[in-house]
């Protein structure tokens, strides 16, 4: 069983390398965009609050589903330097993945000012050729 599992993992890894080479060629619809519905820029929010994601001109699908004009959300929190837009986005405390196709989340942040920004990734977590990013907003956490 262990050897079969390792063989499957190796197969998937080798496929993943090929898929990643192709992933950066993902195009987004010309009129597409992502945005944060709420909270709004400059809002004061409690430590735990809900962020609602918006999209236009694209479909939201779970990661792993390769469909034209689609992707899934990634939330950038307090990110001063953007990640490499040609590689899969790494999940960190500053880059949150929503590979299940979620369109909102609840976060808990420390008191103070924080920035929030959405970045749409394709089926392999790679931003589209022309990255779809929301405006960066600032919230004040009480």
């Amino acid at each position: 069983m262990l050897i079969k599992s390792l063989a499957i993992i190796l197969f998937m890894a080798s496929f993943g390398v090929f898929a990643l080479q192709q992933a950066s060629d993902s195009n987004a619809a010309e009129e597409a965009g992502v945005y944060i519905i709420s909270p709004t820029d400059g809002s004061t929010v409690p430590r735990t609050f809900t962020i609602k994601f918006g999209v236009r001109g694209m479909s939201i699908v779970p990661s792993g589903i390769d469909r034209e004009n689609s992707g899934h959300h990634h939330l950038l929190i307090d990110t001063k330097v953007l990640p490499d837009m040609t590689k899969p986005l790494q999940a960190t405390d500053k880059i949150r993945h929503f590979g299940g196709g979620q369109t909102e989340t609840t976060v808990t942040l420390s008191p103070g000012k924080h920035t929030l920004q959405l970045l749409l990734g394709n089926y392999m977590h790679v931003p589209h050729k022309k990255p779809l990013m929301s405006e960066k907003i600032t919230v004040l956490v009480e």
Side-chain angles (χ1 to χ4, degrees):
M1 185 65 159
L2 177 61
I3 292 184
K4 184 178 179 182
S5 296
L6 288 173
I8 291 170
I9 291 169
L10 288 173
F11 172 77
M12 290 172 64
S14 64
F15 173 78
V17 170
F18 174 75
L20 290 178
Q21 291 172 346
Q22 304 300 313
S24 63
D25 290 336
S26 296
N27 289 313
E30 190 63 35
E31 72 285 355
V34 294
Y35 53 97
I36 297 174
I37 297 169
S38 66
T40 57
D41 188 35
S43 293
T44 298
V45 296
R47 286 194 61 171
T48 300
F49 63 101
T50 299
I51 304 168
K52 294 185 180 186
F53 313 149
V55 64
R56 69 179 177 282
M58 297 284 281
S59 297
I60 298 299
V61 298
S63 63
I65 297 178
D66 184 10
R67 188 178 299 154
E68 189 174 349
N69 294 324
S70 70
H72 62 278
H73 292 288
H74 296 83
L75 177 64
L76 308 179
I77 301 172
D78 297 330
T79 304
K80 293 180 183 173
V81 177
L82 290 174
D84 185 338
M85 298 293 185
T86 64
K87 295 182 179 170
L89 299 164
Q90 298 299 311
T92 68
D93 60 331
K94 303 263 186 209
I95 302 175
R96 309 251 177 112
H97 288 240
F98 298 95
Q102 302 94 315
T103 57
E104 68 178 53
T105 189
T106 299
V107 297
T108 300
L109 298 175
S110 62
K113 283 187 178 182
H114 294 276
T115 62
L116 306 171
Q117 187 172 29
L118 291 175
L119 175 57
L120 206 66
N122 70 7
Y123 70 105
M124 294 295 293
H125 301 282
V126 178
H128 294 81
K129 197 171 194 175
K130 179 183 170 194
L132 293 175
M133 295 188 331
S134 71
E135 295 289 326
K136 187 181 283 190
I137 69 165
T138 300
V139 294
L140 178 61
V141 177
E142 296 179 316

